[in-house]
Amino acid sequence: MPKSATSTDFPILETYLDAIWMEKGLSENTLAAYRRDLQAFARWASLRHQKTTDISRADIENYLAHLLQAKRSPRSAARALSCLRGYYRYLLRSGELREDPTLDLDSPRLGRPLPKTLSETDVDALLKAPNLEDPIGFRDRCMLELLYACGLRVSELTGLTLSQLSLNQGVVRISGKGGKERLVPVGEEALHWLQRYLKEVRPALLGETPSDVLFPSRRAQMMTRQTFWHRIKQHAMTAGIQKSISPHVLRHAFATHLVNHGADLRVVQLLLGHSDLSTTQIYTHVARQRLQSLHAKHHPRG
């Protein structure tokens, strides 16, 4: 197991790191992150003439306050606390300590970051960006239409096969995370593009290659997520969109625009394939933020 140059300064930390490396099979990057957090704490304690085995609950609270005062994010401080919890539980089990100073200690409040999204004007410009004279451009237009119409994950989009699509019923059958299936309505606009694509473009992309892939690459194979990510970046540049954009931003736009137009949150949850409603509730905050900005911009007392 690789060790840092300062690891001999803190032998008890390295004993713990060796133990969790063996027990959990941690990657080198994860192990390095644990080491950085633990050594930073040990250095902080040594400046206060303390050892990590002499720490009280109040000391842990002071350390977290120190991290926040040093402009570390609440998420970073919460990760440091999680690391310390594992360390002190190990010391408790090994008999080095009688009490766990991290017991019942609350994590710093994170506050959920709002997802990046696009305005309806931006989405319209993006959808119109691909060159329809080029079969690849036509395919991309169809993929963007479907992505926005259904709120798919990029892996769900690139992995679609003909058997998952029903033009007659106007739905697409998605196999999402954990193998959970959901039926998502496609919508008239996306259906229009799909019908044209299947008739006019897909046969040309496949040539003589038999395939069930709905959106094949130039080589008549299943497209990678990375390829589509680069394609959507190019189309965003063509559309003059300055914001950072990815396929997932269109998924967020799908959900945000539904909520903005009054869609029930549980319906949005089903369409997105979220197993927990709390994951979907972030879009109520996005909608509220949008309403507040509109009020501030247009109300005479805003």
Side-chain angles (χ1 to χ4, degrees), residues 14 23 25 95 122 125-126 131 173 185 206 209-210 212 222 234 270:
E14 289 300 328
E23 290 172 11
D122 284 340
L126 179 65
N131 177 14
R173 178 170 46 84
L206 286 175
T209 305
D212 192 37
M222 184 175 290
Q234 291 174 0
L270 291 172

Side-chain angles (χ1 to χ4, degrees), residues 31 203 268:
L31 196 66
V268 178

Side-chain angles (χ1 to χ4, degrees), residues 75 110-116 252 279 282-283 285-286 289:
R75 190 170 299 279
L110 298 182
R112 299 184 66 179
L114 296 178
K116 295 178 181 178
H252 290 316
T279 310
I282 188 67
Y283 296 108
H285 300 300
V286 176
Q289 188 182 62

Side-chain angles (χ1 to χ4, degrees), residues 115-127:
K116 295 178 181 178
T117 187
L118 294 173
S119 68
E120 293 179 38
T121 302
D122 284 340
V123 169
D124 189 56
L126 179 65
L127 296 180

Side-chain angles (χ1 to χ4, degrees), residues 72-195:
R72 295 281 292 276
S73 69
R75 190 170 299 279
S76 177
R79 189 195 69 206
L81 176 57
S82 175
C83 184
L84 291 174
R85 280 198 178 108
Y87 174 60
Y88 282 109
R89 285 169 187 167
Y90 168 79
L91 294 182
L92 202 63
R93 290 196 307 271
S94 60
E96 297 284 344
L97 290 180
R98 291 185 179 181
E99 294 183 0
D100 178 359
T102 67
L103 191 65
D104 297 327
L105 200 59
D106 292 332
S107 292
R109 296 189 64 179
L110 298 182
R112 299 184 66 179
L114 296 178
K116 295 178 181 178
T117 187
L118 294 173
S119 68
E120 293 179 38
T121 302
D122 284 340
V123 169
D124 189 56
L126 179 65
L127 296 180
K128 293 176 179 176
N131 177 14
L132 300 183
E133 299 300 319
D134 176 16
I136 292 295
F138 201 111
R139 178 207 64 188
D140 289 356
R141 171 67 184 262
C142 196
M143 293 181 78
L144 291 171
E145 289 281 356
L146 192 61
L147 188 65
Y148 178 59
C150 300
L152 305 181
R153 299 178 178 93
V154 63
S155 57
E156 294 170 347
L157 178 71
T158 57
L160 279 176
T161 61
L162 286 176
S163 60
Q164 291 175 260
L165 176 66
S166 173
L167 293 178
N168 291 334
Q169 295 182 352
V171 297
V172 62
R173 178 170 46 84
I174 301 300
S175 180
K177 288 185 176 180
K180 294 181 180 178
E181 288 195 350
R182 67 186 191 278
L183 287 177
V184 184
V186 173
E188 291 185 6
E189 188 69 17
L191 275 176
H192 163 75
W193 286 101
L194 277 167
Q195 288 166 344

Side-chain angles (χ1 to χ4, degrees):
M1 180 183 66
K3 296 182 180 180
S4 66
T6 59
S7 63
T8 54
D9 298 336
F10 310 103
I12 195 167
L13 300 185
E14 289 300 328
T15 302
Y16 166 65
L17 291 168
D18 283 337
I20 60 171
W21 179 67
M22 292 287 290
E23 290 172 11
K24 300 182 179 181
L26 301 179
S27 70
E28 290 187 12
N29 288 341
T30 302
L31 196 66
Y34 273 73
R35 180 176 283 112
R36 283 194 299 271
D37 282 344
L38 288 171
Q39 289 184 350
F41 176 68
R43 283 192 290 270
W44 176 84
S46 68
L47 290 173
R48 297 162 61 91
H49 306 290
Q50 290 178 293
K51 296 180 180 179
T52 59
T53 50
D54 301 328
I55 293 295
S56 68
R57 177 190 172 115
D59 292 324
I60 301 286
E61 291 175 333
N62 287 336
Y63 179 63
L64 295 177
H66 158 74
L67 292 179
L68 295 173
Q69 288 168 3
K71 305 300 182 183
R72 295 281 292 276
S73 69
R75 190 170 299 279
S76 177
R79 189 195 69 206
L81 176 57
S82 175
C83 184
L84 291 174
R85 280 198 178 108
Y87 174 60
Y88 282 109
R89 285 169 187 167
Y90 168 79
L91 294 182
L92 202 63
R93 290 196 307 271
S94 60
E96 297 284 344
L97 290 180
R98 291 185 179 181
E99 294 183 0
D100 178 359
T102 67
L103 191 65
D104 297 327
L105 200 59
D106 292 332
S107 292
R109 296 189 64 179
L110 298 182
R112 299 184 66 179
L114 296 178
K116 295 178 181 178
T117 187
L118 294 173
S119 68
E120 293 179 38
T121 302
D122 284 340
V123 169
D124 189 56
L126 179 65
L127 296 180
K128 293 176 179 176
N131 177 14
L132 300 183
E133 299 300 319
D134 176 16
I136 292 295
F138 201 111
R139 178 207 64 188
D140 289 356
R141 171 67 184 262
C142 196
M143 293 181 78
L144 291 171
E145 289 281 356
L146 192 61
L147 188 65
Y148 178 59
C150 300
L152 305 181
R153 299 178 178 93
V154 63
S155 57
E156 294 170 347
L157 178 71
T158 57
L160 279 176
T161 61
L162 286 176
S163 60
Q164 291 175 260
L165 176 66
S166 173
L167 293 178
N168 291 334
Q169 295 182 352
V171 297
V172 62
R173 178 170 46 84
I174 301 300
S175 180
K177 288 185 176 180
K180 294 181 180 178
E181 288 195 350
R182 67 186 191 278
L183 287 177
V184 184
V186 173
E188 291 185 6
E189 188 69 17
L191 275 176
H192 163 75
W193 286 101
L194 277 167
Q195 288 166 344
R196 285 191 58 187
Y197 165 76
L198 290 172
K199 182 179 179 181
E200 304 170 20
V201 177
R202 185 174 176 273
L205 290 175
L206 286 175
E208 301 298 322
T209 305
S211 176
D212 192 37
V213 175
L214 183 57
F215 298 114
S217 67
R218 291 183 185 274
R219 298 181 179 181
Q221 298 173 343
M222 184 175 290
M223 192 189 310
T224 65
R225 293 177 301 165
Q226 292 80 4
T227 297
F228 187 66
W229 186 86
H230 286 297
R231 299 292 300 170
I232 202 172
K233 285 275 189 183
Q234 291 174 0
H235 296 314
M237 289 178 62
T238 301
I241 297 172
Q242 302 298 319
K243 304 171 186 174
S244 176
I245 191 170
S246 69
H248 215 67
V249 171
L250 264 186
R251 176 171 160 88
H252 290 316
F254 161 84
T256 303
H257 298 168
L258 279 175
V259 173
N260 283 346
H261 286 277
D264 183 87
L265 204 59
R266 290 198 178 274
V267 172
V268 178
Q269 176 193 1
L270 291 172
L271 294 175
L272 289 173
H274 287 162
S275 56
D276 193 334
L277 184 62
S278 64
T279 310
T280 317
Q281 285 174 334
I282 188 67
Y283 296 108
T284 62
H285 300 300
V286 176
R288 191 179 303 121
Q289 188 182 62
R290 168 71 173 158
L291 288 174
Q292 288 172 343
S293 66
L294 286 173
H295 182 276
K297 182 178 180 179
H298 298 293
H299 195 278
R301 300 284 186 179

